[in-house]
Amino acid sequence: MIVIRDTDLLKGKRLVATIGFFDGVHLGHRFLIDELKGIARAKNQPSAVITFPEHPRAVLHSDYQPKLLNSFEEKLEQLATTGVDYCIVLDFTIELSRLTAQEFITSILAEKLHTDALLIGYDHRFGHDRKDGFEQYVVYGAACGMEVLKASPYDEGRTAVSSSEIRKLLTDCHVEEAARLLTYPYRLQGTIVNGYKVGRKLGFPTANIQVDEPFKIVPGIGVYAVWVYLKGKRYKGMLYIGNRPTLDNGDNITLEVNILDFSGDIYNNDITVAFIYYVRGDVKFNSLEELIEQLGRDRETVDKILIS
């Protein structure tokens, strides 16, 4: 996949394109892109996904920032796995948002991006106020020599696949179902920072993670089996999200992982965790001894779930 930021590089090409934010690059997105590639092959033209580095609503409303499934770099990585030829990155600006659907199709898609055919998601709308629909898009496209096609709904609409549905699954700790809809385990990337070092005293030293992308959604409170990617290697991990109620930690939510079969100084290192399985919810135990016993059982569970 070639990432295009300078649209002058597209001169002389005729593209089959689709457009969207594509947060998560989930099953529904991949179904749409597969259909796009099929149309492109039939026309013997390159396929292109048009997307934005920032969520349009965050640009239009400075006090609003949606929780995200991907950082922009992660989104590009996932789009590259779809086999699409081009990813065209458009900066979403206030000026762009003021274009009507007709103006956007004519001046941006046809004249600037050389789109020969446009595949529209079956429930997708664009243009100022989103007041026009697919029938109008067809007319606007025909006027500038562009074929506008409506995409087929994924699974004929029987399966709910959307970025918002996946966000809800993660918030509710359903990381296995989220991974099924995403087609890959949900990940968080960050830096290992100093913590309270309580885990070490309990016999379960943990790496406290400061997440790099502040707008990425963090799964719900609890204990998870995760794969840990650190210094070019993969390890089994028992990850905890919560406020340590047994230790009276207050309202401060921490994200920390006990890396199985690992020891060493790893502060300030980059770390990635991939959520595989939800082990249990957060519990306030009557004593530290009860907590330590439960952590031992959790570690055994994680060790059995994660098969190298």
Side-chain angles (χ1 to χ4, degrees), residues 13-44:
K13 299 185 184 296
R14 302 296 298 172
L15 302 175
V16 177
T18 190
I19 186 168
F21 188 62
F22 297 104
D23 188 30
V25 194
H26 55 59
L27 266 178
H29 295 144
R30 292 170 187 272
F31 179 80
L32 171 69
I33 293 171
D34 281 345
E35 188 170 4
L36 175 80
K37 293 190 298 179
I39 297 168
R41 283 193 299 269
K43 289 178 169 288
N44 196 28

Side-chain angles (χ1 to χ4, degrees), residues 1-3 15-18 22 25 29-30 32-38 40-41 45-51 75-88:
M1 182 184 80
I2 299 173
V3 178
L15 302 175
V16 177
T18 190
F22 297 104
V25 194
H29 295 144
R30 292 170 187 272
L32 171 69
I33 293 171
D34 281 345
E35 188 170 4
L36 175 80
K37 293 190 298 179
R41 283 193 299 269
Q45 293 175 333
S47 58
V49 165
I50 302 166
T51 193
K75 179 165 67 174
L76 292 182
E77 289 173 7
Q78 290 300 327
L79 284 172
T81 68
T82 68
V84 70
D85 295 312
Y86 292 99
C87 175
I88 301 170

Side-chain angles (χ1 to χ4, degrees), residues 12-305:
K13 299 185 184 296
R14 302 296 298 172
L15 302 175
V16 177
T18 190
I19 186 168
F21 188 62
F22 297 104
D23 188 30
V25 194
H26 55 59
L27 266 178
H29 295 144
R30 292 170 187 272
F31 179 80
L32 171 69
I33 293 171
D34 281 345
E35 188 170 4
L36 175 80
K37 293 190 298 179
I39 297 168
R41 283 193 299 269
K43 289 178 169 288
N44 196 28
Q45 293 175 333
S47 58
V49 165
I50 302 166
T51 193
F52 312 102
E54 294 183 330
H55 197 289
R57 287 185 65 184
V59 175
L60 296 175
H61 308 285
S62 59
D63 59 343
Y64 174 80
Q65 176 60 55
K67 290 294 184 181
L68 300 176
L69 299 170
N70 294 144
S71 67
F72 180 61
E73 288 71 24
E74 288 171 335
K75 179 165 67 174
L76 292 182
E77 289 173 7
Q78 290 300 327
L79 284 172
T81 68
T82 68
V84 70
D85 295 312
Y86 292 99
C87 175
I88 301 170
V89 180
L90 279 185
D91 288 324
F92 192 89
T93 62
I94 297 296
E95 292 73 25
L96 190 70
S97 73
R98 290 173 178 158
L99 296 179
T100 65
Q102 183 176 15
E103 291 169 336
F104 184 75
I105 287 173
T106 303
S107 64
I108 303 296
L109 297 180
E111 296 176 4
K112 191 173 183 179
L113 303 183
H114 315 288
T115 304
D116 188 68
L118 178 68
L119 183 64
I120 300 289
Y122 76 100
D123 60 350
H124 186 72
R125 285 177 178 259
F126 57 84
H128 185 63
D129 292 336
R130 299 186 177 187
K131 62 182 180 180
D132 291 330
F134 178 74
E135 291 75 16
Q136 288 79 29
Y137 302 157
V138 172
V139 173
Y140 303 150
C144 54
M146 181 193 304
E147 183 180 12
V148 178
L149 306 165
K150 180 180 282 189
S152 307
Y154 172 73
D155 194 28
E156 297 181 357
R158 290 190 294 264
T159 303
V161 184
S162 68
S163 300
S164 57
E165 172 67 17
I166 295 169
R167 292 185 201 108
K168 184 177 186 303
L169 286 170
L170 291 171
T171 300
D172 293 342
C173 307
H174 301 309
V175 294
E176 307 103 290
E177 178 63 9
R180 188 184 72 80
L181 297 184
L182 285 169
T183 72
Y184 57 89
Y186 183 69
R187 295 187 176 205
L188 288 175
Q189 298 177 357
T191 305
I192 300 172
V193 296
N194 277 304
Y196 296 104
K197 298 183 174 62
V198 175
R200 184 178 302 174
K201 297 175 183 176
L202 298 177
F204 295 88
T206 60
N208 284 63
I209 302 173
Q210 181 175 299
V211 178
D212 291 339
E213 173 53 71
F215 301 126
K216 277 199 71 168
I217 191 165
V218 174
I221 286 174
V223 177
Y224 296 86
V226 299
W227 286 114
V228 178
Y229 297 87
L230 178 69
K231 294 184 176 182
K233 294 184 178 180
R234 188 180 78 164
Y235 302 91
K236 297 178 179 182
M238 176 173 69
L239 182 138
Y240 170 72
I241 301 172
N243 60 0
R244 303 194 194 103
T246 306
L247 304 173
D248 295 321
N249 195 49
D251 296 327
N252 183 39
I253 300 294
T254 61
L255 192 154
E256 51 190 287
V257 61
N258 173 243
I259 307 172
L260 278 61
D261 304 319
F262 177 88
S263 63
D265 183 6
I266 51 175
Y267 290 117
N268 299 317
N269 275 271
D270 294 332
I271 187 171
T272 298
V273 292
F275 290 80
I276 304 301
Y277 186 79
Y278 174 66
V279 176
R280 64 171 174 86
D282 208 358
V283 177
K284 182 171 184 178
F285 294 94
N286 294 321
S287 66
L288 288 181
E289 288 72 23
E290 285 187 17
L291 171 59
I292 292 169
E293 288 178 8
Q294 183 60 55
L295 289 174
R297 290 191 290 269
D298 294 340
R299 186 183 173 102
E300 290 179 6
T301 300
V302 167
D303 196 31
K304 292 176 181 177
I305 290 171

